């Protein structure tokens, strides 16, 4: 035996089959376990403080450690009770694709091999789903944070004299961009990382429907021009992370076209609503964008990580990222042929075969079925909203545009922000459901984002039943505390 291959292939094969069987059992039995449980202190200490393994350990022992101490204490986003943040649930076929990609260990930065063609196919499918031209350029990346950064950099370099930015830096160019106050934090971060500075991102207020105030956008652009700034990009959101609202993308597209600004859409999860005939009209204008960021790992259920950037005008992305014109003239034949290469469309040179899990997921289900899954998530959210509206103890804090419901427990006599924050922790520790929190209109909201294909109205009902139980218990405790002489915190249900 040479190198690192096993001495005994059959032994490793046996372990591999066991891993696969165990993982199938895990996925098939998700509902029977808790959505989340706290990692016990001794496991945590043992996992954190491991000596560097200078000598070999049997894969069997490592696997058992994974099975007993890692797998049961994962995030929980595969579980139907997971409604926190905006996480996809993954699929078994996606898991298998990860294994196949790992086996090939392809580097998709470039060169002439089939995995690159799979990524090209996936980018073409993405363009078709989103109503972009067939020759749009694009790249699979870690997530929308990276995709938004690539868009901001590409747009800045598409400005007049923007190409010289690559050698000279931003300097005193006074480039400014626009996004609503409801935009994701990674948009400001993109301005930071791109060297433009977060002050160069003008934050536009949102209207009562949590959408960008278009008149305010108009006014901000005009004011910046008068003051000698150079407006270059406006960023609309399809599916804001707090409430699921979508900016009026058509109106933003019109302003961008009129004023010669780059129009970028952050559609991290919401853009996948394009898969549904019923939901697509809400995203009108998205297909007019110069660039679009979205995640296959959210609503398309592809395992982490799988983000995507699409850029309408071919050549713009390479003009921003290719390190020399060599990208147009790779070798004419042999392994070093097959230009242009993906490494010229973003910051990464070495890139894994992310495309395989996207290709297998889209292929296995087909876009029609994925569109129906997206609709089912929205239906579960509407069911949850109706339940919230029907419960006297609950109040809804935002309209439900897609799949996100913001609400809170309402009582006359408590610090509601604190109470609701504690109730969400109660839910997490119960293992029944995992919503998250956000702030809507200055109030702490319980936020349920239904992004997981496994989540049904039964799961949202279980969450509400548990929440009302925890609320009743805590309010009893608060009333008892009121008549006690001391002013201590009420004991929590799970403390
Ligand atoms: C999740 C999200 C992001 C960030 O995407 P990552 O894939 O986590 O990097 C950006 N914008 C919105 C609206 C999101 O929901």
């Amino acid at each position: 035996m040479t190198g690192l291959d096993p001495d005994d292939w059959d032994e490793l094969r046996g372990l591999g089959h066991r891993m696969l069987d165990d993982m199938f059992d895990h996925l098939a039995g998700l509902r029977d376990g808790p959505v989340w449980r706290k990692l016990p202190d001794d496991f945590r200490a043992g996992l954190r403080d491991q000596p560097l393994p200078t000598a070999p350990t049997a894969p069997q022992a490592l696997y058992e450690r994974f099975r007993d101490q890692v797998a049961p204490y994962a995030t929980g986003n595969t579980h139907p009770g997971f409604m926190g943040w905006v996480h996809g649930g993954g699929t078994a076929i996606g898991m298998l694709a990860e294994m196949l990609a790992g086996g090939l260990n392809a580097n998709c930065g470039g060169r002439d091999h089939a995995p690159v063609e799979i990524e090209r196919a996936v980018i073409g499918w993405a363009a078709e789903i989103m109503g972009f031209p067939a020759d749009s350029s694009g790249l699979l990346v870690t997530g929308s944070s990276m995709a938004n950064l690539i868009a901001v950099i590409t747009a800045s370099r598409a400005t007049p004299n923007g190409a010289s930015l690559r050698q000279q830096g931003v300097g005193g160019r006074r480039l400014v961009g626009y996004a609503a106050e409801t935009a994701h934090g990674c948009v400001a971060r993109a301005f930071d990382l791109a060297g433009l500075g977060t002050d160069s991102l003008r934050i536009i207020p949102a209207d009562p429907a949590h959408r960008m105030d278009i008149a305010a956008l108009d006014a901000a652009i005009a004011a910046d021009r008068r003051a000698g700034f150079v407006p270059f990009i406006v960023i609309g959101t399809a599916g804001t992370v707090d409430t699921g609202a979508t900016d009026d993308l058509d109106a933003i597209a019109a302003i961008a076209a009129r004023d010669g600004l780059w129009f970028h859409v952050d559609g991290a999860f919401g853009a996948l609503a394009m898969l549904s005939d019923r939901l697509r009209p809400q995203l009108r204008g998205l297909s007019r964008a110069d660039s679009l960021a979205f995640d296959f790992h959210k609503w398309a259920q592809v395992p982490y990580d799988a983000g995507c950037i699409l850029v309408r005008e071919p050549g713009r992305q390479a003009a921003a990222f290719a390190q020399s014109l060599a990208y147009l003239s790779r070798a004419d034949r042999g392994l070093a042929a097959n230009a242009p290469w993906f490494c010229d469309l973003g910051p990464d040179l070495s890139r894994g075969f992310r495309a395989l899990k996207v290709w297998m997921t889209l292929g296995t289900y087909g876009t029609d079925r994925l569109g129906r899954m997206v609709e089912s998530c929205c239906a579960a959210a509407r069911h949850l909203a109706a339940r919230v509206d029907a419960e006297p103890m609950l109040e809804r804090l935002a309209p439900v545009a897609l799949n996100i419901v913001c609400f809170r427990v309402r009582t006359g006599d408590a610090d509601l922000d604190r109470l609701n924050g504690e109730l969400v922790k109660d839910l997490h520790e119960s293992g029944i459901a995992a919503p998250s929190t956000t702030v809507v209109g200055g109030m702490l909201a319980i936020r349920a984002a239904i992004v997981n294909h496994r989540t049904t109205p039964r799961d949202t009902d279980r969450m509400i039943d548990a929440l009302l139980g925890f609320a009743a218990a805590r309010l009893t405790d608060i009333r008892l505390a009121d008549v006690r002489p001391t002013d201590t915190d009420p004991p929590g249900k799970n403390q």
Side-chain angles (χ1 to χ4, degrees):
M1 292 305 127
T2 58
L4 299 178
D5 284 332
D7 292 332
D8 182 346
W9 281 100
D10 283 341
E11 192 185 338
L12 190 61
R13 183 190 304 266
L15 178 62
H17 284 284
R18 228 183 83 207
M19 288 175 175
L20 198 56
D21 280 340
D22 288 353
M23 230 0 152
F24 275 125
D25 288 343
H26 171 81
L27 291 177
L30 280 174
R31 266 180 195 285
D32 304 331
V35 52
W36 178 82
R37 64 189 127 194
K38 187 167 182 282
L39 180 62
D41 289 342
D42 52 334
F43 284 4
R44 190 189 303 273
L47 291 173
R48 219 180 252 181
D49 304 322
Q50 301 182 62
L52 176 72
T54 50
T57 308
Q60 164 103 15
L62 295 172
Y63 172 60
E64 281 165 12
R65 191 117 193 243
F66 165 84
R67 189 193 58 199
D68 300 339
Q69 298 189 7
V70 178
Y73 306 100
T75 327
N77 51 304
T78 51
H79 191 283
F82 191 95
M83 304 168 208
W85 304 276
V86 175
H87 281 32
T91 64
I93 194 70
M95 169 184 84
L96 294 175
E98 285 278 62
M99 185 196 69
L100 300 179
L104 283 191
N105 191 28
N107 184 338
C108 290
R111 303 187 176 81
D112 195 5
H113 53 116
V116 163
E117 302 306 333
I118 296 283
E119 183 158 349
R120 288 189 177 140
V122 162
I123 295 298
W125 289 351
E128 186 171 343
I129 292 167
M130 299 303 167
F132 268 51
D135 65 349
S136 299
S137 84
L139 186 69
L140 294 179
V141 292
T142 42
S144 285
S145 300
M146 178 58 88
N148 284 318
L149 172 62
I150 289 174
V152 168
I153 290 176
T154 303
S156 69
R157 291 165 182 190
T159 54
N161 301 320
S164 63
L165 231 159
R166 298 193 60 188
Q167 292 75 41
Q168 296 164 2
V170 176
R173 291 179 203 233
R174 309 188 82 193
L175 292 169
V176 291
Y178 307 84
E181 58 180 324
T182 46
H184 193 273
C186 72
V187 172
R189 197 166 191 221
F191 272 67
D192 170 4
L193 294 175
L196 297 158
T198 51
D199 288 351
S200 302
L201 178 66
R202 311 302 204 206
I203 303 299
I204 307 300
D207 66 17
H210 304 273
R211 308 170 84 202
M212 185 190 287
D213 179 334
I214 298 296
L217 169 67
D218 219 11
I221 295 172
D224 276 329
R225 282 213 201 285
R226 279 196 303 276
F229 289 98
V230 182
F232 80 103
I233 189 172
V234 53
I235 297 166
T237 303
T240 56
V241 71
D242 285 332
T243 68
T246 292
D247 291 331
D248 185 343
L249 302 176
D250 233 10
I252 297 174
I255 288 179
R258 185 198 67 199
D259 289 1
L261 272 62
W262 185 280
F263 172 35
H264 173 67
V265 173
D266 175 8
F269 68 92
L272 265 305
M274 290 293 280
L275 290 173
S276 154
D277 292 340
R278 204 171 330 146
L279 297 170
R280 198 175 301 117
Q282 283 193 42
L283 305 184
R284 204 188 322 276
L286 177 141
S287 303
R288 297 169 67 185
D290 293 299
S291 55
L292 169 69
F294 73 98
D295 283 321
F296 283 110
H297 61 216
K298 287 178 175 169
W299 235 349
Q301 314 296 336
V302 172
Y304 285 88
D305 43 33
C308 185
I309 175 73
L310 286 178
V311 178
R312 168 179 306 273
E313 195 182 319
R316 286 289 183 199
Q317 212 181 338
F321 287 97
Q323 288 201 287
S324 72
L325 284 177
Y327 83 95
L328 289 174
S329 56
R330 302 287 182 188
D332 59 344
R333 59 195 180 83
L335 184 50
N338 199 23
W341 290 1
F342 285 115
C343 65
D344 293 315
L345 303 181
D348 293 318
L349 174 58
S350 295
R351 310 175 58 253
F353 191 8
R354 280 192 192 98
L356 188 68
K357 58 192 174 183
V358 180
W359 179 78
M360 276 215 160
T361 304
L362 266 57
T364 294
Y365 299 103
T367 52
D368 290 348
R369 170 134 183 232
L370 291 174
R372 289 198 297 277
M373 175 272 298
V374 163
E375 285 174 7
S376 303
C377 290
C378 295
R382 284 196 303 275
H383 174 88
L384 170 58
R387 175 87 196 268
V388 166
D389 294 347
E391 291 286 350
M393 215 185 180
L394 301 178
E395 103 183 282
R396 195 146 55 79
L397 296 180
V400 176
L402 286 171
N403 58 334
I404 296 181
V405 186
C406 290
F407 62 102
R408 66 175 179 171
V409 169
R410 168 178 60 178
T411 62
D413 58 347
D415 174 347
L416 287 184
D417 282 1
R418 184 179 169 286
L419 173 68
N420 281 278
E422 292 303 310
L423 287 169
V424 166
K425 294 179 219 165
D426 289 346
L427 279 173
H428 292 176
E429 290 181 346
S430 76
I432 294 170
S436 49
T437 60
T438 188
V439 175
V440 175
M443 290 174 282
L444 186 118
I446 300 175
R447 170 172 162 287
I450 318 294
V451 191
N452 186 335
H453 60 96
R454 301 184 178 98
T455 305
T456 65
R458 195 164 37 122
D459 300 299
T460 63
D461 278 341
R462 274 190 84 209
M463 171 179 66
I464 295 296
D465 293 343
L467 176 70
L468 293 174
F470 289 132
R474 279 188 172 274
L475 292 170
T476 308
D477 289 344
I478 289 168
R479 273 182 220 112
L480 288 176
D482 284 346
V483 297
R484 276 192 220 121
T486 54
D487 187 21
T488 52
D489 272 357
K493 183 85 181 145
N494 292 292
Q495 285 164 7

